[in-house]
Amino acid sequence: MLKKGSKLYSVLTGCCPKCHEESMYTVKNAYVLTDTLKINERCSNCNTKYRIEPSFFFGAMYVSYAVGIAFAVAAYVISNLILGANLTVTFISIVGTLIVFMPIIMRLSRNIWINMFMSYDKSLAKK
């Protein structure tokens, strides 16, 4: 399921969408807030250019809306439907979830966006 060569692998790991050999991000930890969205210019393995065009990742904002909604719905289901919290506690848990997971949401959105335009190429992977 989650193995090299799948879109899901690239989306969840943040690795190069072409060769799946290195991280697109300069810092792997998404919670280093000053570097959350800093990406390398190119992949050192296959030379894939990550910044396809200026403002390429603006499209990821639309994806981040959907990903944020998914996180909010998950927080709602857990707090309200499973734990039976009242409306105020449920609201606070949704806002808290979105704040805590914002770096993850932003990176996931970028990973999904770039993987919509690039595909894995087995010939570029290290042997």
Side-chain angles (χ1 to χ4, degrees):
M1 172 99 182
L2 186 63
K3 59 183 180 175
K4 269 189 184 179
S6 70
K7 292 265 186 197
L8 189 59
Y9 178 83
S10 180
V11 167
L12 294 179
T13 61
C15 64
C16 174
K18 286 278 198 183
C19 69
H20 293 187
E21 292 298 330
E22 75 167 23
S23 176
M24 290 191 311
Y25 300 95
T26 57
V27 177
K28 285 189 177 188
N29 184 354
Y31 288 98
V32 178
L33 299 179
T34 57
D35 298 331
T36 296
L37 296 179
K38 288 184 181 174
I39 62 171
N40 296 312
E41 192 66 37
R42 294 182 175 274
C43 176
S44 64
N45 180 59
C46 68
N47 204 32
T48 297
K49 186 176 179 182
Y50 297 133
R51 298 172 196 196
I52 299 168
E53 61 187 37
S55 307
F56 171 73
F57 286 109
F58 279 172
M61 290 187 304
Y62 297 104
V63 177
S64 73
Y65 179 76
V67 173
I69 294 296
F71 273 77
V73 167
Y76 170 79
V77 167
I78 291 169
S79 65
N80 191 279
L81 301 180
I82 295 175
L83 300 176
N86 64 30
L87 189 59
T88 304
V89 172
T90 300
F91 176 76
I92 292 169
S93 70
I94 291 170
V95 171
T97 298
L98 292 175
I99 290 170
V100 168
F101 287 103
M102 187 53 61
I104 303 296
I105 292 169
M106 290 189 303
R107 280 200 175 182
L108 272 176
S109 302
R110 280 187 163 207
N111 297 348
I112 292 168
W113 186 250
I114 199 165
N115 274 281
M116 291 172 70
F117 299 95
M118 295 184 186
S119 296
Y120 179 71
D121 185 351
K122 191 174 186 177
S123 66
L124 298 174
K126 291 180 181 175
K127 303 291 181 201

